[in-house]
Amino acid sequence: MAVADPISKSAVPTALPGVGRALVMAGKISQQTADDVFRKAKAANRNFITELTESGAISASDLAHTMAQAFSAPLLDIDALDAQRLPKDLLDPKLSATYRILALSKRGGRLIVVTADPSDHEAAEKIKFATQMGVEWVIGEFNKLSRLIEEHTKTATQAMDSIVGGDFEFDEASLATDAPAEDTEAPQTDVEDAPVVKFLQKMLLDAFNMRASDLHFEPYEHNYRVRFRIDGELREIVSPPVAIKEKLASRIKVLSRLDISEKRVPQDGRMKLKIGPDRVIDFRVSTLPTLFGEKIVIRILDPSSAKLGIDALGYEPIEKERLLKAIERPYGMILVTGPTGSGKTVSLYTCLNLLNKPGVNIATAEDPSEINLPGVNQVNVNDKAGLTFAVALKAFLRQDPDIIMVGEIRDLETADISIKAAQTGHLVLSTLHTNDAPTTLTRMRNMGIAPFNIASSVILITAQRLARRLCVQCKAPVDIPRETLLEAGFDELELDGSWTPYKPVGCSACNNGYKGRVGIYEVMPITEELQRIILADGSALEIAEQARREGVRSLRDSGLQKVKIGVTSLEEVLACTNE
């Protein structure tokens, strides 16, 4: 990496954190790089150093050496520390985790604290307020420090064991029966039990910090487990005492405004958790009666995911251009397809965020609304009350809308109203559950929609999948046989040795070699040639062949492009795309 030229102090942006200004002054990164990283971190509400090191702008080692020189602080070899022998009572663990700091010892009236950012005045003030001692900074490498803090902090299981103690009684009689739990156990009404409150809050915060999409609370006959879905995979996090299940379920239901006395039927609700002075996260809650209690799944709904911008979703330049051109059209229908959990909602809301302007009236109907977007009129459908997608759409058309978003086209009536709206001067966005873009058109035909209506209303279809993104810190080149690459779908001309495939390795910063997910897209505009095939009631195969002639990449081809640029692995693409 080229070292930037040092610049004058007056040229350093004052909005940058102290660590950013110090790096610019030292010539380690350019002012432009610092500004870009700062904007990305702020937009994603992430730590500046986290964004800085993960973007590859500077290594954790180089950052630590620069901070030690810039602030005349000693540099510590974190690998030499034993997490088990570090003092546990000098600093609140929550404070350590929030500011990525670790207390080593105290000397006189000063606390020796290791950090990667000695310019963090807020952290210093928090320490002074909490300990009534001054702070003496020691510099450590950011990635190693984060790992040590995790090791130093007690696991969720240990925390649960310590806070529960004897508060719960293990009812052998109720667990030995095959009858449903609600028939054999007396209902717990003490939902404000302190250990339960602490445990639930810790689980929600841990899930958010680990970038999980869902939390699963699962009761069984002799055990209870909590699992997080991280990067599309379920991971068991903790197994608390089985006696907690009733109180925990009641606590979640109270927060979600559900009926705590009703345990025989599924229920759906929402709750919020404040994780900072100006940050609130929404959670969608679903309960399900099982043999030994209620299973509860909590979906994390982070509104910031819709505001990351279209570039963060992983669209290739030509795919991005096609999508942006479609959403700029004054009317027509745009469909996003894919299985559950493929990121369709985030894609739709990213488009809505681009379209959300003071002069535009946007209305959405969803089941339920997952992301709250100010400026958009959002409606939750309620089949029991008679508020279906079709009813909501009819009401929208009387509300002078410009743009309509339908959560999902499930039946002919909803499809028919959506198409009429697209034909009468409205831009309609919706989803369908199909495998790829060409089969979406035949699926609509099978629903009973006339070919003329499909050809005259649909302007673009995007099929998508989510593939796990390789960890930039530990991914390694891999030698894949030429025959395997050809069989996967690569062309002979592409195997020219100009690129290298990578494989997952695994490190402390990732999940088995992967960290985060990236979209794989098949973006198919409906051209005049495709309209002719639709009007002739052509098959999905004919539509797919014409789309390929027009340069539309299939999901597999799009995934292979991500392999070529080292974003994901070949086995991940093969697992999430079918050819």
Side-chain angles (χ1 to χ4, degrees):
M1 182 182 69
V3 176
D5 294 330
I7 59 176
S8 65
K9 192 169 186 176
S10 61
V12 179
T14 55
L16 283 176
V19 64
R21 295 198 295 271
L23 290 170
V24 174
M25 291 295 297
K28 292 295 182 179
I29 60 174
S30 67
Q31 178 179 333
Q32 183 62 48
T33 299
D35 286 342
D36 290 344
V37 172
F38 178 69
R39 279 193 293 269
K40 288 180 181 178
K42 193 171 184 180
N45 201 20
R46 298 185 71 198
N47 179 278
F48 177 77
I49 295 183
T50 302
E51 190 72 41
L52 191 70
T53 53
E54 289 187 2
S55 68
I58 190 171
S59 67
S61 175
D62 202 4
L63 173 65
H65 282 83
T66 305
M67 292 298 100
Q69 292 175 1
F71 292 88
S72 301
L75 185 64
L76 178 70
D77 181 9
I78 291 186
D79 288 334
L81 295 177
D82 184 356
Q84 302 300 322
R85 296 188 177 185
L86 289 174
K88 291 182 170 59
D89 54 351
L90 293 181
L91 207 58
D92 180 19
K94 187 176 180 181
L95 196 64
S96 293
T98 302
Y99 293 97
R100 305 290 179 90
I101 54 178
L102 201 58
L104 300 179
S105 62
K106 60 181 178 180
R107 184 167 53 207
R110 301 182 70 79
L111 197 64
I112 313 301
V113 182
V114 59
T115 182
D117 183 9
S119 68
D120 193 343
H121 299 297
E122 183 181 343
E125 290 301 318
K126 292 282 186 181
I127 295 171
K128 289 177 184 177
F129 180 80
T131 64
Q132 300 301 307
M133 288 190 288
V135 179
E136 189 172 321
W137 292 124
V138 176
I139 310 301
E141 292 182 29
F142 181 74
N143 55 343
K144 294 180 180 179
L145 176 59
S146 299
R147 185 169 64 246
L148 185 64
I149 290 171
E150 290 178 3
E151 293 174 0
H152 182 60
T153 305
K154 290 190 296 184
T155 65
T157 303
Q158 293 169 329
M160 193 61 217
D161 289 341
S162 64
I163 62 178
V164 170
D167 289 345
F168 299 98
E169 294 183 2
F170 194 79
D171 190 345
E172 297 283 354
S174 66
L175 293 175
T177 181
D178 289 333
E182 66 267 19
D183 295 335
T184 58
E185 294 183 0
Q188 301 284 354
T189 57
D190 184 15
V191 296
E192 297 297 332
D193 188 277
V196 173
V197 173
K198 291 179 183 178
F199 179 69
L200 178 59
Q201 185 176 26
K202 177 171 177 56
M203 287 294 96
L204 295 175
L205 286 173
D206 284 354
F208 178 76
N209 291 331
M210 294 170 72
R211 297 183 180 182
S213 60
D214 300 88
L215 299 84
H216 291 240
F217 297 87
E218 301 170 317
Y220 297 99
E221 185 175 7
H222 297 297
N223 67 298
Y224 189 89
R225 70 177 178 181
V226 180
R227 293 192 292 174
F228 294 172
R229 187 175 292 279
I230 302 172
D231 295 338
E233 288 192 337
L234 278 172
R235 293 172 54 190
E236 185 169 340
I237 302 298
V238 58
S239 293
V242 71
I244 194 178
K245 64 181 181 181
E246 285 294 316
K247 288 186 177 181
L248 185 59
S250 295
R251 175 64 179 169
I252 293 172
K253 289 162 81 171
V254 166
L255 292 174
S256 309
R257 298 184 179 180
L258 302 177
D259 185 355
I260 63 172
S261 65
E262 181 56 79
K263 303 178 183 180
R264 298 166 297 178
V265 296
Q267 297 187 67
D268 295 298
R270 293 176 77 112
M271 63 183 183
K272 295 178 181 287
L273 178 68
K274 189 173 183 181
I275 62 171
D278 56 352
R279 187 76 183 273
V280 177
I281 300 298
D282 285 342
F283 299 91
R284 190 181 74 197
V285 179
S286 173
T287 71
L288 178 69
T290 64
L291 193 61
F292 299 102
E294 289 180 286
K295 175 181 176 177
I296 299 176
V297 175
I298 301 178
R299 166 71 55 90
I300 299 177
L301 309 175
D302 188 2
S304 64
S305 61
K307 300 178 183 179
L308 295 178
I310 195 168
D311 293 321
L313 298 182
Y315 282 93
E316 296 296 323
I318 189 170
E319 296 166 348
K320 172 185 171 184
E321 181 184 350
R322 288 170 179 164
L323 180 60
L324 292 178
K325 188 176 179 181
I327 65 174
E328 288 170 359
R329 298 267 292 270
Y331 58 86
M333 179 181 285
I334 297 172
L335 294 172
V336 180
T337 76
T340 302
S342 60
K344 299 188 297 296
T345 301
V346 171
S347 293
L348 285 175
Y349 269 94
T350 300
C351 293
L352 288 181
N353 197 45
L354 294 172
L355 297 167
N356 189 15
K357 298 173 183 177
V360 179
N361 180 19
I362 304 175
T364 73
E366 298 170 84
D367 184 20
S369 297
E370 294 190 1
I371 297 173
N372 180 25
L373 195 60
V376 175
N377 306 291
Q378 297 172 276
V379 174
N380 279 339
V381 301
N382 187 340
D383 291 334
K384 291 182 179 178
L387 181 57
T388 62
F389 279 116
V391 171
L393 276 171
K394 289 177 182 177
F396 288 168
L397 295 177
R398 296 190 291 270
Q399 291 276 319
D400 186 31
D402 298 299
I403 299 167
I404 296 172
M405 196 268 271
V406 185
E408 182 184 352
I409 294 178
R410 297 176 179 173
D411 51 52
L412 178 59
E413 186 181 10
T414 304
D416 190 47
I417 300 172
S418 299
I419 284 174
K420 287 178 181 176
Q423 291 171 334
T424 54
H426 306 91
L427 184 64
V428 179
L429 291 80
S430 189
T431 70
L432 270 174
H433 287 274
T434 55
N435 291 328
D436 55 26
T439 56
T440 302
L441 296 169
T442 55
R443 162 89 171 113
M444 295 179 74
R445 184 71 186 92
N446 292 337
M447 289 175 69
I449 305 169
F452 171 79
N453 284 329
I454 299 173
S456 63
S457 59
V458 180
I459 58 176
L460 180 132
I461 300 173
T462 296
Q464 65 182 69
R465 300 289 188 276
L466 287 179
R468 290 181 294 171
R469 190 189 292 266
L470 284 168
C471 175
V472 295
Q473 296 187 27
C474 67
K475 67 178 182 180
V478 60
D479 186 17
I480 301 177
R482 187 181 187 87
E483 295 74 17
T484 303
L485 293 174
L486 290 171
E487 187 179 343
F490 282 106
D491 188 84
E492 281 278 3
L493 298 176
E494 293 180 289
L495 306 181
D496 55 4
S498 62
W499 56 276
T500 303
Y502 287 85
K503 67 177 180 179
V505 177
C507 66
S508 60
C510 66
N511 177 27
N512 297 325
Y514 296 97
K515 186 172 185 180
R517 290 192 285 179
V518 64
I520 295 175
Y521 303 94
E522 178 184 25
V523 182
M524 188 178 77
I526 306 302
T527 61
E528 290 184 4
E529 286 299 323
L530 287 175
Q531 286 179 335
R532 290 191 184 98
I533 296 174
I534 296 167
L535 289 170
D537 210 8
S539 66
L541 184 59
E542 293 174 294
I543 294 169
E545 288 175 350
Q546 178 60 32
R548 300 299 168 266
R549 287 193 288 270
E550 295 176 359
V552 176
R553 285 195 188 118
S554 67
L555 285 167
R556 172 62 62 83
D557 292 337
S558 180
L560 295 179
Q561 292 302 310
K562 297 289 192 297
V563 175
K564 285 182 66 174
I565 60 178
V567 172
T568 189
S569 64
L570 180 61
E571 56 262 37
E572 183 68 12
V573 169
L574 296 179
C576 64
T577 61
N578 295 317
E579 284 273 315

